[in-house]
Every structure is written in structure tokens, then in C-alpha cells.
């Protein structure tokens, strides 16, 4: 029996670390599921992307946002607040993917209605495994809304 083909999803990676972005990209590319991955490096650029402003006027609306918390200019907490204040954007699934394991960060993120909070492991193999599992879950298991 063959596995049903999953619908490709559009993912926005909001990550300032080139090394973490590269690991995430490699992990997402591995496997049989097609997806589109776009990356921005801070919260200001994330909000421009999400609102389709400037160079992002023709962007694909993401189905899933992978959001780092600790970034320059505008951090992930501020991005979550802005997303939650926008009736259109708050329909997009957000997963926190960060190095912070502070309980206050976890509580604040869940208070701002993100779908999951994942602490990045230091070990590259563990990080790769987590991103693969995350992709499999969001692509194969979760039913995301159709593009608006």
C-alpha cells in the first residue's frame, strides 16, 4: 500500500542564524514531500513578508511559520503579537523553533497562540530529526486551511 501524497505546503522560516537556517533547509528538503521554503532574517522582514509589502508583494502566503524568538530589530514575541492582532494572519500556523528554554518564554509564546514550542537541540543530528518530525506532522497529519 502506498502512502497518500500530501499537499505541498508553503513554509516561512524566520531565522537570523545562517547555520540554523541551513540545517532547517536541509532537513525540510529531505523526504518525499514537496514544500516551498522562504526565509527572512528578522521580525521586521517577517511582517513585510506576511503583509506582502515591498519586495514581498508577490510572495506565497505561508501555511506554516517557523519562528525564532531571539532576533535583531523585531524579535519573535513581537511578531507573534502582530500576527495575533491581524485577523488574516492569525489563521496561519506558527511553530516556535528557538534556543530559549526559559519558562517565561514558553508561557508568553503559548499566551500569544502559537501551535508548538520547540527548543533547538545543540546536536545537529537531533536538530535534523526534530525538523523532519515537524515537517511530517504538519504535512501528513495536520489539516491546514486552504490559501485565503
Amino acid at each position: 500500500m502506498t502512502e497518500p501524497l500530501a499537499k505541498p505546503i508553503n513554509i516561512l522560516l524566520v531565522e537570523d542564524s545562517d547555520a540554523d537556517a541551513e540545517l532547517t533547509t536541509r532537513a525540510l528538503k529531505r523526504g518525499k514531500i514537496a514544500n516551498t521554503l522562504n526565509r527572512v532574517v528578522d521580525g521586521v522582514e517577517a511582517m513585510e513578508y506576511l503583509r506582502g509589502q515591498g519586495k514581498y508583494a508577490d510572495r506565497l502566503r505561508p501555511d506554516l511559520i517557523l519562528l525564532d524568538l531571539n532576533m535583531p530589530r523585531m524579535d519573535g514575541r513581537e511578531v507573534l503579537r502582530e500576527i495575533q492582532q491581524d485577523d488574516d494572519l492569525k489563521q496561519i500556523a506558527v511553530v516556535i523553533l528557538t534556543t530559549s528554554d526559559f519558562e517565561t518564554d514558553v508561557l508568553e509564546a503559548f499566551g500569544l497562540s502559537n501551535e508548538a514550542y520547540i527548543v533547538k537541540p545543540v546536536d545537529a543530528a537531533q536538530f535534523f530529526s526534530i525538523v523532519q518530525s515537524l515537517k511530517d506532522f504538519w504535512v501528513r497529519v495536520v489539516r491546514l486551511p486552504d490559501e485565503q
Side-chain angles (χ1 to χ4, degrees):
M1 183 171 151
T2 61
E3 194 172 308
L5 292 176
K7 172 188 168 241
I9 63 170
N10 299 317
I11 301 170
L12 176 62
L13 175 62
V14 186
E15 173 62 68
D16 62 318
S17 165
D18 290 338
D20 287 351
E22 178 60 30
L23 276 175
T24 304
T25 300
R26 285 189 6 230
L28 289 170
K29 284 183 178 177
R30 185 177 278 191
K32 300 175 183 173
I33 302 165
N35 57 271
T36 302
L37 177 67
N38 290 289
R39 177 190 174 206
V40 295
V41 297
D42 64 40
V44 171
E45 197 175 0
M47 294 313 301
E48 289 171 358
Y49 183 96
L50 291 169
R51 293 180 175 135
Q53 298 171 334
K55 66 183 179 181
Y56 301 112
D58 295 329
R59 59 83 169 119
L60 291 172
R61 176 189 163 92
D63 299 303
L64 175 64
I65 300 168
L66 300 179
L67 179 65
D68 189 14
L69 284 185
N70 302 310
M71 298 177 293
R73 296 201 305 164
M74 176 189 280
D75 71 14
R77 295 162 204 80
E78 294 172 272
V79 172
L80 277 174
R81 283 186 202 96
E82 296 235 357
I83 288 171
Q84 285 309 305
Q85 293 173 3
D86 185 303
D87 289 337
D88 181 46
L89 297 180
K90 70 182 177 184
Q91 304 305 314
I92 302 171
V94 179
V95 172
I96 303 298
L97 190 57
T98 187
T99 56
S100 174
D101 66 352
F102 292 118
E103 185 68 15
T104 54
D105 286 340
V106 175
L107 290 171
E108 184 177 13
F110 276 106
L112 293 168
S113 299
N114 74 295
E115 274 62 50
Y117 191 103
I118 299 170
V119 178
K120 297 176 195 172
V122 176
D123 177 78
Q126 285 180 321
F127 183 81
F128 200 86
S129 177
I130 285 172
V131 172
Q132 275 295 121
S133 297
L134 182 67
K135 177 184 174 184
D136 289 343
F137 177 73
W138 283 100
V139 173
R140 296 181 193 276
V141 177
V142 173
R143 165 64 165 85
L144 294 168
D146 291 331
E147 196 171 320
Q148 308 259 327

